[in-house]
Amino acid sequence: RPSGRLAGSQAAVRLVGELYAVFKLRIGFAIALSAVAGAAIAPGEALSAWEMAVLALAILMSAASAGAFNQFAERDLDAQMARTRNRPFVTGRFRAGPLWFGIISGLLVASVVIAAWTLNTAAAFYAFCGAIVYGVIYTLWLKRRSWLNIVVGGLSGSFAVLAGAAAVDPNLAAGPIILAIVLFLWTPPHFWSLAMALRKDYAHAGVPMLPVVIGDRKAAHVILAHTVLLVALSLLPMAYGTGWIYFAAASLGGGLFVWRSIRLTMNPGPKAAMANFHASLVQLSLLLLGTCADSWLGI
């Protein structure tokens, strides 16, 4: 009996891990935080704790539906890449059939209904747009066809920021719009850095990520240009009322990202690219958390 309970616990832990991976909840939490930051930076009456929790949950659900659909639709592509060949839809652990399609669709519908019912239709609309951009435009249309795939795909994070801001006031102000543009500019250098680190994988699968199309050296300079632009733009909300906490977070994270991007241009390759990828995560985390802290602490 003890061994049976242990096996059951291990199976449950394994299932939770597989669901976490299939729904891409690591990315989902980042997108949900983007929505919270959008609400925090928006001028107007702040959302209650309950409304903020509902906002985060709705965006997490919409992002999770898009993430699961991405793996559902790309199981043939995932099978060709070392990084993704053990995903549950590839191994057959999860069967990609009508049941899973229904779960994914139902999750998206539920997220939109929750946002519309509890917040407003504008927030629900942006939540829906974010999922459609990632699930349909990026996954089905652009990923296998154009190096612009992740450029357009970056709009999914931008829509999360707009959803949060719209929950406060559907008439979007300058601050949230700028933050949404920063998220749009952040995604390409973040993902191109990963694509450079795993360039052989993407080349083998025939995915036209920028480093595959133009080579590491040219891609590194494009990454640096994107990074400099997004970091410069991330300081602009200071003109619209953000305080020193936001400035410190944006400057520290942005400085790290720019420095790593410069290092990447000096020595383009997997090691420097992965370091830049991690720097982009630090930069985004500091920016979003700094946005929230600046608003909530009010100092």
Side-chain angles (χ1 to χ4, degrees):
R1 288 181 181 178
S3 61
R5 286 197 294 269
L6 179 60
S9 299
Q10 291 174 336
V13 170
R14 179 187 174 193
L15 178 60
V16 169
E18 289 169 336
L19 291 173
Y20 184 91
V22 162
F23 287 108
K24 295 192 173 184
L25 292 183
R26 181 181 63 82
I27 297 174
F29 285 123
I31 293 177
L33 180 58
S34 300
V36 172
I41 201 174
E45 184 177 353
L47 298 180
S48 66
W50 166 248
E51 290 172 325
M52 194 70 83
V54 170
L55 169 66
L57 177 61
I59 298 302
L60 179 62
M61 290 170 63
S62 68
S65 70
F69 181 76
N70 173 267
Q71 293 200 23
F72 180 96
E74 290 188 349
R75 56 194 183 276
D76 61 324
L77 192 63
D78 286 344
Q80 302 177 49
M81 301 178 64
R83 183 174 69 95
T84 56
R85 64 174 54 139
N86 291 319
R87 286 176 170 175
F89 284 129
V90 177
T91 63
R93 168 72 172 162
F94 293 162
R95 188 179 183 86
L99 175 61
W100 264 103
F101 185 78
I103 292 172
I104 292 167
S105 302
L107 192 61
L108 177 58
V109 171
S111 71
V112 172
V113 170
I114 289 171
W117 184 267
T118 308
L119 302 169
N120 55 50
T121 56
F125 173 73
Y126 291 129
F128 176 78
C129 287
I132 292 301
V133 164
Y134 187 81
V136 178
I137 297 177
Y138 167 70
T139 299
L140 295 184
W141 180 26
L142 290 176
K143 184 169 183 178
R144 307 185 197 214
R145 293 179 172 86
S146 171
W147 66 270
L148 290 170
N149 47 23
I150 202 62
V151 176
V152 178
L155 284 169
S156 58
S158 300
F159 278 123
V161 173
L162 297 181
V168 176
D169 184 354
N171 298 312
L172 299 174
I177 292 174
I178 293 169
L179 187 60
I181 296 172
V182 169
L183 263 290
F184 174 70
L185 292 172
W186 175 87
T187 305
H190 163 76
F191 209 93
W192 286 336
S193 296
L194 179 64
M196 186 184 297
L198 304 173
R199 185 168 60 85
K200 292 181 180 179
D201 229 9
Y202 282 103
H204 174 72
V207 179
M209 290 298 175
L210 188 67
V212 176
V213 175
I214 66 175
D216 288 354
R217 188 164 298 278
K218 290 182 179 179
H221 285 86
V222 176
I223 287 171
L224 176 59
H226 262 264
T227 303
V228 170
L229 181 59
L230 80 89
V231 170
L233 190 63
S234 72
L235 300 178
L236 190 56
M238 292 295 297
Y240 296 95
T242 56
W244 70 266
I245 296 178
Y246 176 88
F247 177 76
S251 299
L252 182 61
L256 174 65
F257 197 8
V258 169
W259 176 65
R260 281 297 184 183
S261 293
I262 292 173
R263 294 289 299 271
L264 181 61
T265 63
M266 297 168 63
N267 186 27
K271 185 177 180 180
M274 188 57 72
N276 202 48
F277 172 77
H278 289 140
S280 71
L281 293 173
V282 173
Q283 190 263 348
L284 180 66
S285 298
L286 285 174
L287 183 68
L288 297 179
L289 292 173
T291 302
C292 297
D294 192 86
S295 173
W296 297 339
L297 295 179
I299 55 176

